[in-house]
């Protein structure tokens, strides 16, 4: 490989890195995607973590943004084996009274279910979501498009009219707590909305959490909350298959140690072991911290300082279970849900977020809980099931001492709404925050969201710039979840960075062709 030259090198083979490689290959570039790990996928991988025959998604598992993604929609991923499985219920949020609010793909069914618990709450949800569902394509382009998202914003404003546009602007700044207080009367719908805000890593009392919760649930109506049949890794395999179909190359077990620079611009990458790959374009599916590590002094001091100021999101502890049967939820509707928000009512959820803010482990943590095997029997032996749950945790925890106790708290939370759950556990696998990062270096401290989603860092990712993908070093681009449009599995950031890289490298490429002909 030493001395090899490509039109572009992509560092990192997660969904964004693979999307960047595919985008460049489609534009006629010779592309090499290099990955430090021994196989591609980043946080989109599956393994038999517990017992033989039980397929677990190691990191992410549920992919509304992937189905909504304009980038993935333009790829023939089904031809490469990807099949989406939709549970009957996208998401449910149980409370202690034995009932649960539910999110269905069908809006009318969701409205009826919310109204059946507290009359008027379903109608309140319809008033919130219906205008945006009518303009879903414009909202999708805004939320999952490149920065600045002007085409989508223009379409939204044109479709909603002046008052609707003002309402949308207010919603962007609003806390989920305020939206719930305006539209809901019962505890179930309020907790249901709060849980979706927390799913998006935005505490419900903070500015920007209303749009986070609304958008996540809106995707449930527009495209569902599905998972790949057979495990998350089927999505990675489909992306790799398409990359290779286009002539792109993938090399795993090849950690990049430095960005090579010549005459003030990118000249390629240096790989551990002394190997070097020449290229005028490098797109990095890396966190700001990793970009600093490989680019170092080649970046101007001011830009380095802004990258140093990047804030990671909450850390994560994840548990996977092999079960002897389905989770025995008290509420029947929860037994049909692919995703469950476990945490109780609004006060319970706020207590959990307060503990996290104070650097404490919550006694009753909020959990994202998945049970993909209820709709996809390929995940477990006949009659058996898989489940997973993860919770946000503060930094600085002594996990040697606290891990077992916090897993007990997690299982107690599930048992609270599903008596008998513990009796069905055949095996468990625990990923502490350091283990998450050791398996995927992009998951800093176990941050699975690609950085904090406080409002300022949601708008400006990774730094304030009209072009967040371009770095000051010519030829070097960042295309990870740390840039707009941010986390979730959609490939949008990698594709946006690759499009910019392809456009800006075209003149240099043409000059090289002319010189060769001479």
């Amino acid at each position: 490989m030493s001395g090899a030259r490509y039109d572009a090198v992509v560092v990192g083979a997660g969904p964004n890195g693979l999307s960047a490689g595919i985008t460049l290959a489609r534009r006629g570039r010779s592309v090499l995607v290099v990955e430090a790990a021994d196989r591609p996928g980043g946080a989109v991988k599956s393994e038999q973590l517990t017992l033989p025959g039980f397929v677990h998604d190691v990191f992410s598992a549920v992919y509304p943004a992937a189905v909504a993604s304009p980038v993935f929609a333009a790829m023939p991923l089904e031809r490469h084996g990807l099949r989406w499985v939709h549970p009957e219920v996208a998401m449910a949020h149980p409370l202690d009274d034995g009932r649960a609010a539910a999110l269905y793909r069908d809006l009318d069914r969701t409205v009826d279910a919310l109204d059946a618990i507290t009359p008027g709450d379903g109608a309140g949800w319809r008033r919130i979501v219906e205008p945006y569902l009518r303009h879903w394509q414009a909202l999708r382009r805004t939320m999952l498009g490149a920065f600045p998202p002007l085409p989508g914003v223009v379409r939204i404003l044109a479709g909603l009219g002046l008052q609707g546009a003002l309402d949308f602007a207010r919603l962007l700044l609003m806390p989920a707590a305020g939206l719930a207080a305006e539209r809901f009367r019962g505890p179930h719908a309020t907790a249901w909305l709060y849980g979706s805000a927390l799913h998006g890593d935005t505490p419900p009392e903070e500015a920007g959490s209303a749009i986070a919760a609304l958008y996540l649930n809106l995707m449930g109506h527009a495209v569902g909350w599905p998972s790949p049949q057979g495990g998350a890794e089927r999505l990675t395999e489909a992306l790799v298959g398409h990359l290779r179909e286009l002539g792109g190359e993938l090399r795993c077990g090849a950690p990049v140690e430095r960005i090579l620079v010549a005459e003030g611009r990118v000249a390629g990458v240096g790989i551990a072991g002394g190997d070097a790959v020449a290229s005028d374009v490098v797109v990095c599916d890396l966190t700001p911290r990793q970009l600093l590590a490989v680019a170092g002094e080649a970046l101007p001091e001011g830009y380095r300082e802004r990258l140093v100021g990047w804030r990671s999101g909450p850390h994560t502890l994840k548990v996977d279970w092999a079960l002897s049967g389905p989770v025995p939820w008290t509420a029947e509707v929860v037994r049909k849900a692919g995703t469950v928000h476990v945490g109780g009512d609004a006060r319970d959820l706020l207590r959990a977020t307060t503990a996290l803010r104070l650097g404490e482990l919550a006694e009753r943590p909020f959990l994202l809980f998945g049970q993909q095997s209820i709709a996809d029997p390929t995940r477990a032996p006949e009659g058996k099931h898989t489940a997973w749950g993860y919770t946000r945790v503060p930094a600085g925890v002594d996990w040697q001492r606290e891990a077992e106790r916090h897993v007990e708290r997690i299982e107690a939370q599930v048992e609270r709404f599903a008596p008998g759950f513990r009796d069905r556990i055949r095996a468990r696998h625990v990923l502490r925050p350091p283990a998450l990062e050791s398996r995927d270096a992009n998951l800093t401290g176990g941050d699975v969201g690609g950085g904090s989603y406080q409002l300022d860092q949601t708008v400006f990712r990774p730094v304030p710039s009209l072009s967040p993908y371009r770095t000051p070093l010519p030829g070097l681009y960042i295309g990870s979840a740390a840039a707009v449009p941010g986390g979730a599995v959609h490939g949008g950031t990698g594709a946006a960075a690759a499009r910019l890289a392809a456009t800006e490298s075209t003149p240099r490429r043409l000059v090289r062709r002319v010189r060769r002909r001479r």
Side-chain angles (χ1 to χ4, degrees):
M1 183 65 71
S2 182
R5 181 174 191 89
Y6 292 82
D7 294 328
V9 173
V10 178
V11 182
N16 277 309
L18 293 171
S19 295
I22 289 168
T23 301
L24 288 160
R26 279 181 162 178
R27 297 196 174 201
R29 304 309 202 259
S30 60
V31 181
L32 173 67
V33 180
V34 290
E35 168 59 45
D38 60 0
R39 71 186 206 266
V44 183
K45 291 176 180 170
S46 304
E47 294 178 13
Q48 296 187 44
L49 294 173
T50 56
L51 297 172
F54 290 81
V55 178
H56 303 275
D57 295 332
V58 182
F59 308 104
S60 59
V62 183
Y63 299 113
V67 184
S69 169
V71 172
F72 289 166
M75 300 178 187
L77 300 181
E78 292 78 8
R79 191 168 72 224
H80 295 280
L82 180 64
R83 301 289 182 272
W84 292 111
V85 176
H86 290 263
E88 181 179 343
V89 180
M91 177 270 288
H93 190 124
L95 294 190
D96 290 304
D97 64 0
R99 296 183 294 174
L103 174 70
Y104 296 90
R105 188 166 180 183
D106 182 77
L107 175 59
D108 290 338
R109 196 173 179 187
T110 304
V111 167
D112 291 344
L114 292 174
D115 274 338
I117 298 174
T118 302
D121 280 357
W125 175 244
R126 187 189 296 278
R127 287 194 298 273
I128 296 170
V129 76
E130 213 163 37
Y132 305 111
L133 198 54
R134 284 199 300 268
H135 300 288
W136 161 248
Q137 293 302 329
L139 187 63
R140 167 195 187 210
R141 293 186 65 180
T142 301
M143 301 298 283
L144 293 177
F147 187 88
L150 295 179
V153 170
V154 169
R155 289 189 178 188
I156 289 174
L157 298 182
L160 295 176
L162 178 59
Q163 186 58 54
L166 292 173
D167 290 340
F168 182 65
R170 177 173 178 259
L171 184 67
L172 291 174
L173 301 174
M174 198 175 188
L179 183 63
E182 284 186 1
R183 299 301 178 104
F184 298 142
R185 290 180 290 196
H188 293 80
T190 297
W192 177 80
L193 191 71
Y194 280 25
S196 291
L198 289 170
H199 189 145
D201 284 335
T202 51
E205 68 272 37
E206 289 189 5
S209 57
I211 188 63
L214 170 65
Y215 178 62
L216 191 58
N217 287 1
L218 177 67
M219 283 197 292
H221 294 314
V223 299
W225 285 18
S227 299
Q229 184 180 56
E233 195 142 341
R234 300 293 86 78
L235 173 57
T236 294
E237 291 170 354
L239 289 168
V240 170
H242 187 41
L243 173 70
R244 287 175 167 154
E245 177 182 51
L246 295 169
E249 298 179 31
L250 171 67
R251 180 181 174 188
C252 294
V256 170
E257 292 186 329
R258 66 195 185 283
I259 301 298
L260 305 179
V261 179
E263 300 179 354
R265 66 165 294 114
V266 160
V269 298
I271 296 172
D275 206 353
V277 180
S279 180
D280 293 332
V281 170
V282 175
V283 179
C284 293
D285 182 6
L286 301 174
T287 66
R289 179 186 299 177
Q290 293 170 298
L291 185 65
L292 284 169
V294 297
E297 297 302 314
L299 296 169
E301 182 179 358
Y303 186 76
R304 293 201 309 269
E305 289 176 351
R306 289 194 290 275
L307 290 184
V308 168
W310 172 260
R311 303 187 304 278
S312 63
H315 296 191
T316 306
L317 184 141
K318 180 174 181 282
V319 186
D320 284 276
W321 296 279
L323 304 175
S324 61
V327 181
W329 303 102
T330 300
E332 181 67 29
V333 69
V334 188
R335 300 179 187 182
K336 304 172 185 177
T339 302
V340 186
H341 292 163
V342 181
D345 63 20
R347 289 172 298 180
D348 288 329
L349 301 181
L350 293 178
R351 289 189 191 105
T353 61
T354 299
L356 182 60
R357 191 178 294 115
L358 293 174
E360 301 171 355
L361 291 170
E363 286 300 318
R364 285 185 160 185
F366 170 73
L367 312 176
L368 292 184
F369 187 96
Q371 44 186 19
Q372 274 56 62
S373 59
I374 63 165
D376 181 6
T378 68
R379 303 289 189 110
E382 186 176 358
K384 309 298 189 295
H385 285 270
T386 61
W388 58 265
Y390 76 70
T391 186
R392 303 305 193 205
V393 294
V397 174
D398 180 356
W399 288 111
Q400 291 295 328
R401 185 181 68 181
E402 293 291 341
E404 185 174 344
R405 279 187 285 192
H406 207 54
V407 170
E408 289 177 0
R409 294 184 188 110
I410 288 170
E411 292 181 353
Q413 275 287 70
V414 181
E415 185 85 13
R416 174 182 169 189
F417 303 102
F421 167 70
R422 285 193 178 107
D423 295 336
R424 300 194 178 185
I425 297 173
R426 295 185 60 191
R428 72 172 59 79
H429 180 272
V430 179
L431 276 172
R432 307 169 187 180
L436 284 163
E437 183 173 0
S438 69
R439 282 173 169 258
D440 183 342
N442 273 18
L443 307 182
T444 306
D447 169 19
V448 297
S452 167
Y453 285 90
Q454 291 181 317
L455 189 59
D456 65 311
Q457 196 166 278
T458 300
V459 176
F460 298 112
R461 299 179 71 87
V463 299
S465 173
L466 291 177
S467 181
Y469 317 106
R470 182 194 299 118
T471 77
L473 178 63
L476 180 64
Y477 302 84
I478 183 167
S480 69
V484 177
V489 176
H490 47 67
T493 313
R499 286 194 297 269
L500 180 63
T503 299
E504 294 186 341
S505 65
T506 295
R508 188 176 181 87
R509 188 165 177 255
L510 292 175
V511 169
R512 183 179 289 111
R513 281 184 176 179
V514 170
R515 288 176 177 171
R516 286 173 180 168
R517 288 171 183 169
R518 290 178 180 174

